[in-house]
């Protein structure tokens, strides 16, 4: 079974580190990402994509946000699909 994890960077310039949400449904996870993007866009500039050095498998999407006219890669979120299994 796959789980879908939304993470936020724990330091400036990263998109991973702090797990915010875990979903078992991809559609619900993508809706949550859209809601996060909508909230961030209210006061920030949005840049689509994931970090160049992020080569972990299963990363589906991500975005960066930062002050308008400033560093648009200051903070970020990403959505990753992870295989989870139990006994």
């Amino acid at each position: 079974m796959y789980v879908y994890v939304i993470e936020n960077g724990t330091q400036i310039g990263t998109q991973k580190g702090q797990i915010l949400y875990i979903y078992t449904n991809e559609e619900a996870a993508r809706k949550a990402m859209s809601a996060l993007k909508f909230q961030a866009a209210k006061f920030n500039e949005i840049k689509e994509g994931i970090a160049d050095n992020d080569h972990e498998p299963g990363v589906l999407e991500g975005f960066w946000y930062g002050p308008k006219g400033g560093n648009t890669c200051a903070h970020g979120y990403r959505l990753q699909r992870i295989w989870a299994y139990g006994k």
Side-chain angles (χ1 to χ4, degrees), residues 1 35 44 56:
M1 174 175 101
N44 298 286
E56 289 187 30

Side-chain angles (χ1 to χ4, degrees), residues 15-87:
Q15 290 172 300
K16 60 183 180 177
Q18 180 183 4
I19 295 174
L20 297 177
Y21 305 108
I22 299 175
Y23 294 90
T24 56
N25 180 294
E26 183 176 355
E27 183 179 340
R30 290 191 184 266
K31 284 182 180 179
M33 280 291 284
S34 293
L36 289 169
K37 192 182 303 181
F38 178 77
Q39 288 298 320
K42 286 183 177 179
F43 303 105
N44 298 286
E45 191 171 333
I46 302 294
K47 181 180 174 187
E48 298 286 337
I50 58 170
D52 292 337
N53 60 352
D54 190 349
H55 302 292
E56 289 187 30
V59 176
L60 301 175
E61 68 177 274
F63 70 91
W64 298 97
Y65 66 97
K68 293 183 180 181
N71 184 1
T72 58
C73 294
H75 307 284
Y77 290 97
R78 74 175 190 164
L79 172 61
Q80 184 177 17
R81 179 175 64 188
I82 298 173
W83 178 250
Y85 60 91
K87 293 184 178 185

